[in-house]
Amino acid sequence: MSVNVTREFINGLPKAELHVHIEGTLEPDLKLKLAQKNQIDIGQKTIEEVRASYQFDDLASFLAVYYPAMNVLQTEDDFYELAMAYLRRASENNVRHAEIFFDPQAHTSRGISFATVINGLYRATVDARALNVDARLIMCFLRDYSRDSARKTLLESSAFRDKFIGVGLDSDEHNNPPMKFFNQFTQASADGLHVTAHADIDQKDSIEHIRELLEVIGSERIDHGTNVVEDPDLIEFAAKNKIGFTSCPLSNSFVSPEMKGKEVLELLDNGVKVSIHSDDPAYFGGYISDNYYALAKNFNFSQEQVVTLAKNSFETSWISKEQKALYLKEIDDYVNQFNA
């Protein structure tokens, strides 16, 4: 018998967050505070005006709002404050483990040093232990920048290798296939880093990009990637190889009215390790529990399906088998106690 999934159940469920852009957690109040501190004219003077500026209807218009907002991030303490604000919310959502994207090129291209960015973020991941959140960093390449920019970024990152655990690929996918960065992925893997990459929903050549990631690059996870349902052979490959797919319902809803809920169900039914995350929560209107609840409510997910999504998030995370076992036991204990 299926059990109705309540918001209370979802909020308390132990989760791993594997798809969140730290720059996308810049809430209007913090953006305004940092703008005033750093004396940057952002064209808005109230929190309401900042919130009203977060308007877009596709990926290109979103990025046109998203990147200029980062100008308020200037110092190591700014990046620390940004990350700590997210990690406090993660703790409130019972995120026990987080693997957080950051985009160094978005900052080095405007004169902020790589060290300023990563040192501020890393300091927050250390302090997050006091919030009972285990947090790590993933360095993303901006795919609409040149491959030489990615090469230089990977080279520069080598001095900070102890502060992040993997590389990713994000930003505008149009005319920027994964294979553009084949050499960087190969080098990162050789250096012992984990590999993931965005395959945004309903893009031109989506299925070919997913094929490149799965069959050639060897990506361990695919961020978004639910277009994989178009190819039964790739679904079978993903299930067999335990590839993680990180779906973000609320951000999907800006592109696809049904937030790819049917695709998530299809992936679950086919044994694919799909999980749910928040993407850019300051812009898309909800943190991880909000994303779980939106999906469960709109597509009548059972408690068992929601629990599977949470377990998948830990199983496809980049932590040890021993850590995974502890978190999976936390989930089982929580479900048993909640249902009792």
Side-chain angles (χ1 to χ4, degrees):
M1 185 181 74
S2 68
V3 179
N4 284 337
V5 180
T6 64
R7 184 177 283 275
E8 180 193 4
F9 175 80
I10 286 171
N11 285 347
L13 183 67
K15 310 169 196 68
E17 175 122 77
L18 309 178
H19 185 155
V20 61
H21 300 268
I22 198 60
E23 294 90 352
T25 69
L26 181 61
E27 291 285 348
D29 56 342
L30 182 58
K31 180 183 177 185
L32 190 62
K33 174 186 171 183
L34 294 178
Q36 292 169 345
K37 177 181 83 85
N38 293 321
Q39 298 182 315
I40 293 169
D41 183 5
I42 58 172
Q44 300 114 29
K45 291 189 164 40
T46 68
I47 293 173
E48 290 71 27
E49 287 177 359
V50 177
R51 188 171 289 116
S53 75
Y54 285 18
Q55 297 293 324
F56 36 83
D57 54 17
D58 58 19
L59 180 61
S61 61
F62 163 67
L63 295 176
V65 174
Y66 183 68
Y67 286 121
M70 296 181 198
N71 290 329
V72 302
L73 298 164
Q74 294 287 325
T75 69
E76 182 180 317
D77 283 346
D78 295 345
F79 286 94
Y80 172 83
E81 190 167 0
L82 173 70
M84 282 306 297
Y86 160 72
L87 287 161
R88 288 188 193 97
R89 287 186 172 91
S91 178
E92 291 166 4
N93 283 256
N94 207 21
V95 171
R96 299 286 286 107
H97 173 74
E99 297 175 6
I100 303 165
F101 298 134
F102 72 105
D103 291 331
Q105 291 153 292
H107 309 297
T108 56
S109 63
R110 58 187 180 86
I112 308 299
S113 74
F114 191 104
T116 294
V117 178
I118 197 166
N119 287 338
L121 298 177
Y122 181 75
R123 188 153 53 91
T125 67
V126 173
D127 287 353
R129 296 168 193 166
L131 301 171
N132 208 27
V133 180
D134 172 52
R136 320 287 174 93
L137 297 173
I138 298 172
M139 181 184 76
C140 288
F141 303 118
L142 295 182
R143 66 199 310 158
D144 44 1
Y145 280 43
S146 69
R147 62 172 57 85
D148 193 54
S149 175
R151 180 188 66 80
K152 290 175 180 175
T153 298
L154 186 61
L155 186 65
E156 186 172 17
S157 75
S158 62
F160 305 92
R161 193 56 49 81
D162 60 328
K163 291 184 167 66
F164 66 104
I165 60 169
V167 297
L169 181 67
D170 59 15
S171 202
D172 191 353
E173 192 167 338
H174 186 240
N175 293 331
N176 294 299
M179 285 299 288
K180 175 179 172 182
F181 302 96
F182 177 79
N183 289 341
Q184 284 69 52
F185 284 127
T186 301
Q187 185 61 56
S189 293
D191 291 343
L193 291 165
H194 295 282
V195 171
T196 187
H198 279 50
D200 285 318
I201 63 168
D202 302 342
Q203 296 289 300
K204 182 177 179 291
D205 301 323
S206 275
I207 202 70
E208 288 310 310
H209 293 177
I210 292 169
R211 187 183 303 281
E212 288 177 11
L213 289 168
L214 290 175
E215 295 183 349
V216 185
I217 289 169
S219 187
E220 298 163 74
R221 290 200 301 257
I222 295 183
D223 302 305
H224 300 301
T226 42
N227 285 82
V228 72
V229 300
E230 297 165 19
D231 190 316
D233 181 61
L234 289 182
I235 289 179
E236 185 179 342
F237 181 94
K240 179 182 175 183
N241 291 281
K242 297 182 170 58
I243 306 298
F245 285 77
T246 62
S247 187
C248 307
L250 291 179
S251 69
N252 286 346
S253 71
F254 279 73
V255 179
S256 171
E258 293 194 321
M259 65 181 73
K260 296 298 177 181
K262 291 177 181 176
E263 287 82 350
V264 171
L265 283 167
E266 185 173 342
L267 292 175
L268 282 177
D269 288 344
N270 282 278
V272 176
K273 298 287 186 184
V274 62
S275 54
I276 300 302
H277 310 281
S278 66
D279 206 0
D280 300 282
Y283 293 86
F284 295 121
Y287 286 80
I288 190 168
S289 294
D290 302 309
N291 278 269
Y292 268 83
Y293 187 69
L295 196 66
K297 181 181 177 185
N298 284 286
F299 291 89
N300 199 29
F301 272 54
S302 67
Q303 187 186 95
E304 183 182 6
Q305 287 170 319
V306 168
V307 169
T308 298
L309 292 168
K311 288 188 172 183
N312 287 347
S313 70
F314 289 108
E315 288 169 352
T316 57
S317 68
W318 296 333
I319 55 178
S320 70
K321 289 180 181 178
E322 291 77 12
Q323 285 175 294
K324 289 178 184 181
L326 289 170
Y327 288 129
L328 293 174
K329 184 177 184 301
E330 269 191 41
I331 290 177
D332 287 336
D333 290 346
Y334 170 77
V335 173
N336 290 334
Q337 185 176 359
F338 189 92
N339 290 336

